[in-house]
Amino acid sequence: MEKKSDFHFSYPPNLHELDLATLVSMYRERGMPKKAKAGDYFACTVTHRMVKDAKWWFGLYYSQKAWDELLTKGSEGYPLTETELNILGLVLDAGDETVSRDYVEQNSGTISKLTFMIINDLKEFGFLTIEENERLLITPRGEKALQGIARRIYDKKFHPDMLLINRERGPAPKMERAQKKDDDEQASLF
């Protein structure tokens, strides 16, 4: 499925290079307001304008207005990325069955350490519930958040084709059959 917009939060692709303590610190600091030192400014990642106050996201700075515009409908202030779309979508796609936390961590599109923290936060925000046997269920609030990020990225309601696991599989390649030559031209091996 083709993406229609890149105007959403995203995690850096090289998070696997960070040690766990740094990753946890950066994850917990996301969205924190930062004030530039006297005489210094931040450049807003979206508008490229200089600002004194900004919100921090893995080394990037966003003005409050840009941050608010990046938040999606139904997110309730939680900065959703394609990773959250994959997590919530995998759980929703399971239907009446429950899906294991391990399965979601392996298929979220990012490193499992980050997915572990995201799942805990999605639970705290009321988007997911976690059963005692580590099975995940999506809540009505989680469905609204999923639809918001799906519409932002794909301009459509959520569909399982949006999941990274389904996009990577893609359609099976078509194999063309070679034309068989006449028996006369091919020597017999027997």
Side-chain angles (χ1 to χ4, degrees):
M1 184 165 284
E2 186 179 332
K3 293 180 184 180
K4 301 291 184 186
S5 173
D6 286 328
F7 190 69
H8 56 86
F9 294 101
S10 61
Y11 297 107
N14 61 338
L15 286 177
H16 62 280
E17 296 176 9
L18 301 176
D19 62 83
L20 183 59
T22 303
L23 177 63
V24 169
S25 175
M26 291 179 92
Y27 181 76
R28 294 291 169 220
E29 292 272 322
R30 75 199 193 294
M32 295 297 288
K34 303 283 184 178
K35 188 166 187 69
K37 296 178 196 171
D40 285 343
Y41 289 88
F42 300 124
C44 175
T45 302
V46 173
T47 65
H48 304 288
R49 297 177 72 85
M50 304 303 289
V51 293
K52 287 296 264 175
D53 298 304
K55 288 203 170 182
W56 187 85
W57 177 271
F58 292 90
L60 301 175
Y61 294 94
Y62 294 90
S63 67
Q64 184 65 52
K65 183 178 182 213
W67 182 273
D68 292 343
E69 288 173 2
L70 282 165
L71 293 173
T72 55
K73 187 175 181 180
S75 72
E76 300 181 21
Y78 188 96
L80 296 172
T81 70
E82 195 168 354
T83 301
E84 283 83 2
L85 180 143
N86 279 304
I87 293 168
L88 294 169
L90 284 167
V91 177
L92 180 66
D93 193 41
D96 292 336
E97 299 176 21
T98 55
V99 65
S100 73
R101 183 180 189 135
D102 287 340
Y103 177 79
V104 172
E105 286 179 11
Q106 297 306 314
N107 295 290
S108 68
T110 192
I111 58 176
S112 59
K113 296 175 214 172
L114 177 61
T115 304
F116 183 86
M117 292 186 287
I118 294 170
I119 289 172
N120 288 343
D121 276 1
L122 292 174
K123 178 187 174 280
E124 291 302 313
F125 259 74
F127 297 153
L128 291 176
T129 58
I130 304 174
E131 294 182 338
E132 66 280 344
N133 55 358
E134 294 296 305
R135 298 285 182 192
L136 304 175
L137 296 168
I138 193 165
T139 65
R141 290 172 70 185
E143 285 188 50
K144 286 180 185 175
L146 173 61
Q147 295 303 338
I149 190 66
R151 286 202 184 278
R152 172 67 59 91
I153 296 173
Y154 294 99
D155 200 28
K156 294 181 181 180
K157 287 181 73 173
F158 172 76
H159 188 274
D161 288 345
M162 295 174 185
L163 296 174
L164 180 64
I165 192 170
N166 294 334
R167 288 195 329 256
E168 285 179 344
R169 272 190 224 142
K174 293 181 180 179
M175 300 292 287
E176 290 185 29
R177 293 213 175 259
Q179 294 294 329
K180 217 176 180 184
K181 293 184 178 184
D182 291 337
D183 289 335
D184 299 346
E185 295 177 26
Q186 188 169 357
S188 175
L189 298 174
F190 300 102

